[in-house]
Amino acid sequence: MAADHTFRVWRGDDKGGDHAEYTVPAEEGMVVLDVIHRIQASQAPDLAVRWNCKAGKCGSCSAEINGHPGLMCMTRMDEFAEGETVTVSPLRTFPVIRDLVTDVSYNYEVAKTIPAFKPGPKEADGTRRMYQQDVDRVQEFHKCIECFLCQDVCHVIRDHEDNKQTFAGPRFFVRIASLEMHPLDTNDRTELLHLKAGLGYCNITKCCTEVCPEHIHITDNAIIPLKERLVSEYYDPLAWVKRRLSRQGGKAAP
């Protein structure tokens, strides 16, 4: 049996807006995206919302539901108490285009700055080999669906717009980790992490891990190991001496 639910949905564009209230019936088994579609069909045909697969795999329907970043297609209506008002807002970290649709192009600009996978030469028999444990280590990172919920909740860019120029964000630390930890990759991205990607700004609050719909251990398995690499590269005195010697052709500094 359908029961009426009150939804407060943000309506507006880059010039401003506010939440509009809708009362809409929802049947058992529906998710928030179903209700948004019902509002479109019955009360607000001009309501803008981005979605694609409705199966939690495309990352398109990201929104803030009662203040919590999540996928509308994976948030079930039975998670809310009876009579509870459900508020749906666009991702706060990114500029609004219209209604629930935000401009996430910042993320694609960051992606362009990351050097791609570059394998070394093949072995004598024409193959490349790696251990299964190395495969397992990076496999987790490839589950990312680019919903950008981790980017949205990260306070470094959520609360400081100017940091977007010098901070890549958790989604791209996962991307860099998947490359840096790949045993066949030969590119070195430590300078990128240290300078342009701004890994040092992250204070590992784990808010990104908490909202990941694919349950990637962003902080523990990607960010912290990358931070350890930077410490070894830039702040370990033995590593500093080694770099100094290598720049001088193996001769000790005067």
Side-chain angles (χ1 to χ4, degrees), residues 5-9 11 20-24 39 43-44 46-47:
H5 289 266
T6 301
F7 264 63
R8 297 182 68 248
V9 182
R11 304 298 309 274
E21 192 167 295
Y22 303 94
T23 300
V24 59
I39 291 171
Q43 301 180 52
D46 60 341
L47 173 61

Side-chain angles (χ1 to χ4, degrees), residues 14-104:
D14 59 344
K15 298 179 180 62
D18 204 349
H19 289 88
E21 192 167 295
Y22 303 94
T23 300
V24 59
E27 287 86 18
E28 182 179 357
M30 291 181 73
V31 295
V32 168
L33 185 60
D34 291 325
V35 178
I36 292 296
H37 285 164
R38 180 161 287 183
I39 291 171
Q40 278 184 317
S42 60
Q43 301 180 52
D46 60 341
L47 173 61
V49 57
R50 184 181 283 135
W51 71 285
N52 189 14
C53 75
K54 200 177 173 287
K57 291 302 177 184
C58 73
S60 299
C61 66
S62 299
E64 298 197 5
I65 304 164
N66 284 354
H68 182 77
L71 298 176
M72 289 188 283
C73 71
M74 299 300 289
T75 306
R76 299 180 60 85
M77 289 301 298
D78 58 16
E79 295 178 21
F80 305 105
E82 185 176 350
E84 179 180 359
T85 297
V86 181
T87 300
V88 184
S89 309
L91 297 179
R92 199 181 95 186
T93 299
F94 306 110
V96 172
I97 296 176
R98 187 173 141 217
D99 300 338
L100 301 179
V101 178
T102 54
D103 181 1
V104 296

Side-chain angles (χ1 to χ4, degrees), residues 221-235:
N221 293 352
I223 293 177
I224 291 177
L226 289 178
K227 279 179 171 284
E228 290 171 345
R229 291 188 179 208
L230 284 192
V231 169
S232 298
E233 180 69 20
Y234 288 95
Y235 304 106

